Amino acid sequence: GTFNLNSLVGGLGGMFLSGLTAESVAGTIPETVFVMFQMTFAIITPALIVGAFAERMKFTAMMMFVVLWFTFSYLPICHMAWSGDGSLFGDLWGVLDFAGGTVVHINAGIAGLVACIMVGKRLGYGAENLAPHSVPLTVVGASMLWVGWFGFNAGSELAADGVAGMAMLVTQIATATAAATWMFIEWVFRAKPTAVGIATGAVAGLVAITPASGTAGPMGAILIGFTASSVCYLAATSLKAKFGYDDSLDVFGVHGVGGIIGALLTGVCASSALGGAGLPEGVSMAGQVFAQFKSVALTIVWSGVVSTVTLFVTDKVIGLRPTEEVETLGLDLTEHGEEGYHLA
């Protein structure tokens, strides 16, 4: 196909859901359901970014940043990967991204890295204990993600068929592998396997299998889960410590890095030799991995540039950071007039 601007950002033909009716269909499901499904991807991606600068950005600044970033980074990358209308990744480059490795995870992970650097570290970072305040809530949250992700990945087939079934199975296998891998790494190097570690490993597995879930088989899922967990562990511990950025919830370390690993390994694990669905006709494994690499590189640059510019503009208009006093008191009280716990 020939390249045009539409392959990057789309057109306005569907403005305000023009043309959507109760009868219109996407895949084998009503288009109304498909729109709802896409809306879940659209909101989870900015929600991921927020984890990188948790506890230290003004609420007004966050709202402005999210609207700008969503418009100029999420929507174009989403269109490039999934529009099926001369889309750059899928149609022109032949990239495999079944459920959002580039669109959601790399896109958000890079934005999170840029944001936590531009906003700066939390007060007391490196000096005070800033561990999760509630291990049960961390595990409950991760468990909800794990269950919800089946809908995320299997649902991307837009049909109740064998591909959706395999997508659900490989999601479970990769995630279980990654959770166990992280636990064993902690056990070996830190002498204690932790629940927070298992939860983090599980999320790394969920992230990495996402782009591959429509094409990988069980062996590919084990490879992706093991690799992602190992590399994300290094990113969330050594890499973060070495460069000193305060990525509160390891958005870059788990979603960014896990998304990159998953997107690249999708090109490997699609191979029928690894039990995958098989590479597109006439495409070698190296050729597919190169296509995956192009989509990863473009997503990193696109999200990086948009994040930097939108945060810069937001900082000039509103200011990103509250005063030290406000931050010490806590943004829940100062910005929202609420508190998580009413202690007697």
Side-chain angles (χ1 to χ4, degrees):
T2 55
F3 175 80
N4 60 36
L5 189 63
N6 181 263
S7 70
L8 293 180
V9 296
L12 298 175
M15 267 301 258
F16 297 108
L17 299 182
S18 156
L20 182 77
T21 67
E23 284 71 45
S24 45
V25 172
T28 67
I29 63 172
E31 198 173 10
T32 47
V33 178
F34 177 65
V35 169
M36 286 291 292
F37 185 57
Q38 282 297 323
M39 285 164 70
T40 63
F41 286 80
I43 194 57
I44 197 74
T45 312
L48 287 176
I49 302 170
V50 173
F53 54 76
E55 304 183 357
R56 61 192 192 277
M57 190 191 282
K58 289 180 184 174
F59 187 65
T60 47
M62 186 198 81
M63 297 291 275
M64 179 173 169
F65 164 64
V66 162
V67 169
L68 289 171
W69 185 88
F70 175 80
T71 305
F72 295 106
S73 191
Y74 180 83
L75 292 176
I77 297 286
C78 177
H79 182 82
M80 286 182 225
W82 290 338
S83 72
D85 178 22
S87 69
L88 181 63
F89 292 178
D91 295 348
L92 301 184
W93 287 356
V95 175
L96 301 171
D97 186 355
F98 192 69
T102 52
V103 181
V104 177
H105 300 289
I106 300 174
N107 210 359
I110 298 301
L113 179 64
V114 171
C116 73
I117 291 169
M118 288 182 71
V119 174
K121 301 173 188 177
R122 284 169 290 181
L123 298 174
Y125 180 72
E128 297 170 23
N129 177 19
L130 296 173
H133 77 285
S134 169
V135 173
L137 284 181
T138 301
V139 175
V140 166
S143 305
M144 289 170 71
L145 273 178
W146 193 327
V147 175
W149 221 289
F150 293 133
F152 204 64
N153 286 0
S156 291
E157 171 66 356
L158 307 186
D161 61 14
V163 175
M166 182 62 86
M168 185 163 75
L169 177 63
V170 296
T171 299
Q172 177 72 352
I173 291 170
T175 306
T177 302
T181 300
W182 195 294
M183 182 191 78
F184 282 116
I185 292 172
E186 270 192 335
W187 208 346
V188 170
F189 292 105
R190 300 197 167 181
K192 288 185 172 69
T194 68
V196 171
I198 291 169
T200 312
V203 176
L206 289 164
V207 167
I209 194 62
T210 292
S213 55
T215 49
M219 283 309 297
I222 291 172
L223 173 66
I224 285 173
F226 175 79
T227 309
S229 194
S230 307
V231 181
C232 288
Y233 180 85
L234 290 172
T237 53
S238 311
L239 190 73
K240 185 161 77 165
K242 180 171 167 40
F243 290 102
Y245 53 86
D246 179 15
D247 177 359
S248 313
L249 303 181
D250 294 312
V251 176
F252 172 70
V254 173
H255 293 273
V257 172
I260 290 166
I261 287 164
L264 295 175
L265 284 180
T266 297
V268 175
C269 297
S271 164
S272 49
L274 276 164
L279 292 160
E281 202 173 329
V283 179
S284 66
M285 188 186 287
Q288 188 61 51
V289 171
F290 180 63
Q292 301 299 116
F293 173 78
K294 286 196 292 186
S295 74
V296 167
L298 180 60
T299 306
I300 290 171
V301 172
W302 192 293
S303 182
V305 170
V306 171
S307 303
T308 306
V309 172
T310 51
L311 283 161
F312 179 80
V313 170
T314 304
D315 192 30
K316 289 291 171 255
V317 174
I318 294 174
L320 295 176
R321 192 108 187 208
T323 63
E324 206 166 303
E325 184 188 5
V326 164
E327 203 174 317
T328 305
L329 280 169
L331 302 185
D332 49 354
L333 277 175
T334 53
E335 300 252 310
H336 305 288
E338 297 173 314
E339 50 191 320
Y341 304 93
H342 292 289
L343 300 174

